[in-house]
Amino acid sequence: MPALFYTRHYGPDTIRRCVSGAVKTSWAKHFPTGCPPEDAKERKAHVFVLLKHDPPQDADFRSHRDRDIWRPQPGDDPFDACKGCGLSCSATLEDARKMQALVPSLRKKLIAYGPPTPGVVRDTKGPIVGLPHMTWWIPTGSTPSGQFRMQGAT
């Protein structure tokens, strides 16, 4: 029987199963097949995210798909459906600030930083051509809000 364990880095509803040394992660049922992509990897370095609340709340870490803001449409790039299930993030504070300045709907958002765990991250195309952008896919039941701090907070 697989060993079940909890860690303080995961929400109380997140269970990770350790089977023969491999960690199996549970993704939401609405994730399309092959999402997150195989080349998405765990990231040890912090990421910067644009949030609505200070301090960060669990609601800040819900994707457009989770919030029913966006649904794939006929003719959309199939990878767009996968990106819609993840969260936009940046590798640097400078990139997060550029995104915030260039996208009108993000100008009132606040910048927070923290580790993108649990989950996986991949470089993806964002809304601004030429501006680095990443997508972070978060497993079902995870609550990363407690790991993030507001930029400028001590």
Side-chain angles (χ1 to χ4, degrees):
M1 175 166 303
L4 298 180
F5 62 92
Y6 294 92
T7 70
R8 66 184 184 153
H9 296 287
Y10 300 91
D13 297 330
T14 300
I15 300 172
R16 298 177 74 202
R17 287 196 167 104
C18 185
V19 181
S20 304
V23 176
K24 299 222 177 200
T25 306
S26 175
W27 304 106
K29 290 178 182 174
H30 63 263
F31 276 36
T33 302
C35 186
E38 287 185 23
D39 60 348
K41 304 292 181 205
E42 290 184 358
R43 179 182 164 91
K44 304 266 187 261
H46 283 170
V47 294
F48 295 84
V49 294
L50 295 165
L51 308 176
K52 190 174 183 178
H53 302 98
D54 180 5
Q57 297 177 10
D58 292 345
D60 289 315
F61 293 88
R62 294 181 63 218
S63 71
H64 284 175
R65 184 72 169 87
D66 289 334
R67 293 182 292 163
D68 208 23
I69 292 173
W70 178 86
R71 287 184 180 267
Q73 301 298 314
D76 282 352
D77 179 336
F79 188 63
D80 286 346
C82 183
K83 282 189 348 185
C85 295
L87 247 70
S88 290
C89 59
S90 300
T92 68
L93 175 59
E94 179 183 357
D95 289 343
R97 285 184 173 154
K98 285 180 185 175
M99 183 74 69
Q100 185 181 40
L102 294 171
V103 180
S105 63
L106 300 178
R107 291 188 182 142
K108 292 184 180 180
K109 301 280 184 174
L110 307 167
I111 299 175
Y113 65 95
T117 56
V120 292
V121 177
R122 179 181 170 216
D123 290 332
T124 53
K125 290 181 183 176
I128 306 297
V129 174
L131 184 62
H133 177 274
M134 297 186 304
T135 300
W136 169 23
W137 291 274
I138 302 171
T140 301
S142 301
T143 54
S145 59
Q147 300 178 87
F148 277 73
R149 301 288 170 257
M150 302 311 293
Q151 176 56 36
T154 54

